[in-house]
Amino acid sequence: MKIWNTLKKVGPIFGIVFGAILSAYSVQGFIVHAGLGGGGIGGIALILFYTLAFPIGLVTFVLNIPLFVLGWREVSRQFVVKTFIGLVVFSLALDLFKGIRPLPFDDIFLGALYGGVLGGIGSGIVFRLGGSLGGTDIIAKVIQKKFGWTMGTTMLFFNAFVLLISWAFLGPKIILYTLVSMFAFSRSVDVVQGGIPAKAVTIVSNNSETLVSRIHHEVGRGATFLQGRGTFSAEEKNVIICVVSMPEIGHLKRVVREVDPHAFLIIQNASEVIGQGWAVE
């Protein structure tokens, strides 16, 4: 029991360390090798590296010091502590991996893609465990708390500002590839944080009992009945709520068509599903 409790406390720290190292590896191995820029504090560190040969890791850490002072007073102490651990490891690994070249190619697009995906996976792990790698994340959290702006809006503003500066030093072609990298990064973060996407399905049918039975046995998913009433017919009927994985959605639609061709379906994205009985096979 004591070992398990210790693992629960220490496990997230190891996860943050791993995510920080993976993110640093993606920057030095692919982003820098392809000559790409970035957004926020990382983008500024890259510009200073390309123009003045300043160490990326050291610059990243120094620029984050005033942000930590701000964050320590305004946001969760636990978040700041985890972020500090992630940033220290990230900064050290950035300079440790300097000059690394994991794959022997000179394709800027592949560099943007690999760098964005690996960086997004690493950062997503850190975010999921309650930390960050510093930079605009701290500013965004403070502004969200004080002014109610979403973190996405704040980070978009800062990233756009840094990209405009980078445009003057790196040129339009590199910035376009940088946008590819940033898109791959954000999508990878979303997948790691939210898990594999699922579909939430709402079904209105006159044969709800038969339909739910077939969903249980053929699709292998549970469902929930909600009580509904038609506005035109005023007829009481069951509304079925069911969540399925992406590969199962076609099977579910086929079952619904077979049981009740006139059934009404609403299919929505479910970015994350948490609860007993749910698992993506």
Side-chain angles (χ1 to χ4, degrees):
M1 193 65 175
K2 290 183 179 180
I3 297 177
W4 174 248
N5 290 333
T6 303
L7 288 175
K8 287 176 66 176
K9 293 178 180 179
V10 178
I13 303 301
F14 281 112
I16 289 172
V17 169
F18 173 76
I21 292 174
L22 183 61
S23 294
Y25 184 82
S26 74
V27 172
Q28 287 287 11
F30 298 99
I31 301 299
V32 172
H33 180 65
L36 301 174
I41 298 297
I44 296 174
L46 286 170
I47 293 173
L48 293 175
F49 172 75
Y50 293 140
T51 57
L52 301 173
F54 286 178
I56 301 175
L58 179 61
V59 171
T60 299
F61 184 79
V62 170
L63 291 179
N64 272 283
I65 291 176
L67 302 182
F68 270 100
V69 175
L70 175 65
W72 184 259
R73 293 163 47 182
E74 300 293 341
V75 299
S76 163
R77 298 291 173 87
Q78 187 179 29
F79 169 78
V80 174
V81 170
K82 288 183 176 181
T83 298
F84 183 77
I85 294 172
L87 177 63
V88 169
V89 175
F90 180 60
S91 301
L92 290 173
L94 274 173
D95 291 339
L96 180 65
F97 288 141
K98 181 181 179 181
I100 195 170
R101 188 176 180 181
L103 295 176
F105 60 74
D106 296 310
D107 190 310
I108 299 178
F109 177 76
L110 288 179
L113 198 59
Y114 278 111
V117 171
L118 287 179
I121 292 173
S123 294
I125 292 171
V126 177
F127 294 155
R128 191 175 181 109
L129 294 173
S132 79
L133 298 179
T136 52
D137 300 336
I138 297 176
I139 300 175
K141 274 193 172 290
V142 172
I143 292 178
Q144 182 185 46
K145 181 179 178 181
K146 282 186 169 293
F147 303 105
W149 294 13
T150 65
M151 289 187 65
T153 300
T154 304
M155 294 176 71
L156 177 64
F157 173 80
F158 280 105
N159 288 338
F161 177 73
V162 174
L163 283 175
L164 285 175
I165 298 175
S166 301
W167 187 296
F169 291 96
L170 304 178
K173 179 180 177 181
I174 294 298
I175 294 304
L176 288 176
Y177 281 115
T178 298
L179 291 174
V180 172
S181 176
M182 292 175 69
F183 177 78
F185 176 91
S186 64
R187 295 304 299 161
S188 299
V189 169
D190 289 343
V191 170
V192 174
Q193 282 197 287
I196 299 175
K199 293 291 185 180
V201 184
T202 304
I203 309 170
V204 181
S205 170
N206 291 324
N207 297 317
S208 58
E209 296 286 352
T210 302
L211 188 53
V212 164
S213 177
R214 290 195 58 178
I215 290 173
H216 286 168
H217 292 94
E218 297 182 30
V219 183
R221 292 295 180 190
T224 299
F225 278 139
L226 300 179
Q227 294 299 315
R229 183 167 62 88
T231 57
F232 288 108
S233 64
E235 180 183 351
E236 300 283 346
K237 58 181 63 181
N238 290 325
V239 178
I240 304 169
I241 304 293
C242 183
V243 179
V244 296
S245 63
M246 294 292 287
E248 294 168 339
I249 189 64
H251 190 183
L252 177 65
K253 289 164 68 176
R254 183 168 62 254
V255 167
V256 173
R257 283 196 301 267
E258 292 174 359
V259 173
D260 184 1
H262 303 291
F264 185 76
L265 273 77
I266 302 174
I267 301 174
Q268 300 172 299
N269 290 324
S271 60
E272 185 170 8
V273 183
I274 301 173
Q276 185 178 3
W278 170 260
V280 177
E281 300 292 338

